[in-house]
Amino acid sequence: GLLLAGSIAGLFAAFPSAIVGAMMFLVGIELVKFAGDRSFNKDLIPFVATAGVSIATNMAWGFLAGCALHHGMVLVLSKNRIK
């Protein structure tokens, strides 16, 4: 995605936006299918944060928020185990 962003944008421009939107919607559904059969636990908190921030702002901020939350949780949980 970082190296071929220009060529991918040109490829998407060749298709009508409705088709590109439908393809992205279906790919998104396929990528989050695993979340449907999971019970709520601490591992889903960064996932929800990533999705929420990505929807509210953009994917880069969502990724950073999810990573920060994950590493913060690992740090807090590791300190709790030491005590």
Side-chain angles (χ1 to χ4, degrees):
L2 294 174
L3 301 175
L4 301 173
S7 61
I8 297 296
L11 180 65
F12 282 159
F15 293 98
S17 60
I19 292 174
V20 174
M23 286 190 311
M24 294 295 181
F25 179 73
L26 292 174
V27 167
I29 289 173
E30 290 295 323
L31 288 174
V32 296
K33 272 187 177 177
F34 77 93
D37 60 345
R38 290 193 176 261
S39 61
F40 183 77
N41 59 21
K42 65 177 174 42
D43 294 333
L44 287 179
I45 295 171
F47 169 73
V48 171
T50 301
V53 173
S54 294
I55 290 170
T57 58
N58 64 38
M59 289 179 68
W61 286 112
F63 174 75
L64 291 174
C67 285
L69 186 59
H70 168 73
H71 289 294
M73 288 173 59
V74 167
L75 184 66
V76 168
L77 292 175
S78 67
K79 283 185 179 181
N80 288 340
R81 288 185 189 142
I82 292 173
K83 292 180 181 179

